[in-house]
Structure formats: structure tokens, C-alpha cells
Amino acid sequence: TYMAGKNVLVVDDNSTNREILKEQLSGWKLLPQLTDSAENAIKIFNDKPGFYDLVITDMQMPGMDGVTFAKKIREISPDVPMILLSSVGDEYNQTNNKLFSAILTKPVRQHMLCRHISKAINPTFVVRSEAPQQKMSAAFAAEYPYRILIAEDNEINQQVIQFILQKLGYEPALVSNGLTAVQAQKEHSYDLVLMDMQMPEMDGLEATRTIRSGNDDAVIIALTANTMAGDQERCLEAGMNDYLGKPINVEELKEKLIMWAGR
């Protein structure tokens, strides 16, 4: 796609946010360069004039905030597109809108980030509005086709996830521990694995490492009851692409399926 191979400079003082953005951008075949401060970013940008196709910056950072940073980048490069990630309550003048291709409020919905990146890199791309749609329709799987494996040992959770996916038009396979997940993935090469973190025989992290050791690039999404930053980092380090909190939220699951379909 036109996004593949584009160079993106990511500026955020929070290491977890940087890693999450890195994983998302890499999944969309973009080439992210990460830095933890606006000052470092200006040096990096100056060292490679014309190299970066997009800049994504946090608003609140120590030393220099995102708007001040963007103004300095504009002095170096009048045309490079920039996206600002802001928290609710950030104070910035609406005139700053002219600095940015988009100002997105955190936490950013991932498919919206993907759309706005597409729009920033390719201005002819149309960002579709969030059209109201039926929550669960079998047409969803036709638009975002996947062969899905669910690895989950809790019977109730199995039934809930299976029910949601079937309503969306999928026919997921089901295993109840990490060991059988590894075997099933080896035999059938599913496109996407929903992997519970805590399972008997072999946990989700170990199962993911084993799958990745076979050069398998399936999308693996962790299912975790704890969405703490440490858990998120462990998921990414093990080779998972993303994570979903439990209990499963239908809209969040759909967002993940939409986002990773474009990989």
C-alpha cells in the first residue's frame, strides 16, 4: 500500500506509549523512529532533512510541548504532515489546527489513527466518518476476512468470544491451552490468534514465543484481565501484536479486527 515504507518520527516521553505506537505503525508496514523528547526529535529531524514523511507527537512533554515542537519543525520543513496526540483538557489555541493534519484525543481508536495517518501521507485519502452500523453483522467477516483461532481455557469466556465472532460472520477454531494452540497454529496457520495470557500446560506468552520461533507472522492478540502497562509490555516483548481487555468489548474487538486487516 501507499503507507508501506514511509518514515515516521514518533515523539513521546512515555516509553509504553512509544512501544505501542511502534508496534501499530510497524504492523501497518510504516518505518517508525522513536524518541523521548522534542529536543531530541529536532536534532534527528535536522540530521535527515526531507527524510521523514510524517511526525506524530504527544502534547504534554517535559521541556517542550507538542505545539512548540511542531512550530519549530515547521520552520525546518513547511510541508511535513504532523499529527498531535493530546489528552482531554489540554489547552491549545484552535489556530494550532493549521499546524497539524489531525489532533487526536487519547486514547486514540486505532482504526482512526490508521485513517488519519493515511490521510496525512496521502491527502487524496478520504477519512470516512464513524457511520452508525449494526453492532454485530455477519457481513463484517466478508469485509475483514480472517481464519481465527481462540486459545482460552475458561469455558464461559470461550462461549462469549465464540458467540461474538460467529455473529460477526466468522467460524473460529477453539483450543483450551497454550500447547494445543501452538500445535493448531502449526497445522493450520490461522491468520489471527486470540490468545489468553493465563492457561494450563503453557501460558499465552510462552505459546506466542513458540509460534514466533517458527517464523509465523500471524496476528496474535492477547486476552488479558489486567491491562496494566507492565502486562502490555510483556505481550509485545513476547511477540504479540496487540491486546484486548477481558471481558471482551464487541466494539474494541471489531476495532482490532479492522486495524490488523490492513497489515
Side-chain angles (χ1 to χ4, degrees):
T1 68
Y2 54 81
M3 280 170 60
K6 299 289 187 184
N7 294 291
V8 183
L9 182 59
V10 175
V11 194
D12 196 317
D13 60 305
N14 182 295
S15 60
T16 302
N17 289 348
R18 286 198 305 275
E19 283 305 310
I20 291 168
L21 278 167
K22 178 186 176 184
E23 186 69 23
Q24 291 170 352
L25 297 173
S26 300
W28 299 326
K29 300 288 190 273
L30 292 158
L31 304 174
Q33 160 104 35
L34 312 178
T35 185
D36 61 358
S37 75
E39 291 82 0
N40 285 344
I42 290 167
K43 286 177 196 161
I44 292 167
F45 199 86
N46 262 325
D47 286 345
K48 293 183 175 179
F51 179 75
Y52 291 100
D53 302 292
L54 175 68
V55 177
I56 299 176
T57 179
D58 190 30
M59 174 61 186
Q60 297 289 358
M61 296 183 287
M64 187 188 300
D65 69 24
V67 169
T68 309
F69 162 68
K71 287 175 179 172
K72 290 190 179 293
I73 290 295
R74 272 286 163 265
E75 291 169 12
I76 305 165
S77 171
D79 300 319
V80 68
M82 292 185 281
I83 292 175
L84 179 71
L85 306 180
S86 77
S87 300
V88 176
D90 276 347
E91 296 296 325
Y92 48 80
N93 192 303
Q94 283 305 306
T95 56
N96 291 323
N97 283 357
K98 293 173 186 172
L99 275 173
F100 301 102
S101 303
I103 297 173
L104 305 177
T105 303
K106 296 188 290 186
V108 180
R109 289 175 176 268
Q110 291 168 355
H111 67 281
M112 286 307 292
L113 178 61
C114 184
R115 289 177 191 175
H116 281 288
I117 288 172
S118 299
K119 174 72 174 169
I121 290 173
N122 175 21
T124 60
F125 181 88
V126 177
V127 178
R128 290 178 299 170
S129 63
E130 295 278 315
Q133 60 186 58
Q134 193 178 340
K135 256 201 163 185
M136 291 199 282
S137 157
F140 188 89
E143 190 171 354
Y144 304 102
Y146 288 98
R147 292 166 56 256
I148 299 177
L149 175 66
I150 303 166
E152 165 67 73
D153 65 311
N154 181 292
E155 204 171 318
I156 293 170
N157 290 343
Q158 284 177 359
Q159 290 171 2
V160 170
I161 300 165
Q162 199 168 22
F163 173 80
I164 293 170
L165 288 171
Q166 286 171 345
K167 284 288 185 185
L168 292 173
Y170 298 102
E171 294 177 10
L174 191 61
V175 294
S176 55
N177 67 59
L179 207 55
T180 50
V182 170
Q183 290 164 351
Q185 183 58 18
K186 190 174 181 181
E187 288 172 21
H188 301 288
S189 297
Y190 293 99
D191 305 311
L192 182 137
V193 183
L194 295 173
M195 184 80 78
D196 186 31
M197 293 277 281
Q198 304 291 336
M199 290 184 291
E201 306 287 339
M202 182 187 284
D203 68 21
L205 295 175
E206 188 58 36
T208 299
R209 289 189 197 101
T210 307
I211 289 168
R212 291 293 186 231
S213 70
N215 293 320
D216 189 313
D217 67 349
V219 175
I220 302 178
I221 298 178
L223 302 176
T224 173
N226 304 311
T227 49
M228 303 294 288
D231 286 324
Q232 295 172 0
E233 284 167 358
R234 280 197 296 277
C235 291
L236 299 178
E237 282 166 9
M240 291 173 166
N241 301 88
D242 213 331
Y243 36 82
L244 265 172
K246 291 195 289 187
I248 297 292
N249 174 290
V250 175
E251 289 306 315
E252 276 184 40
L253 175 60
K254 285 166 67 178
E255 274 180 32
K256 304 292 185 188
L257 294 170
I258 291 168
M259 182 183 81
W260 290 107
R263 192 172 82 140

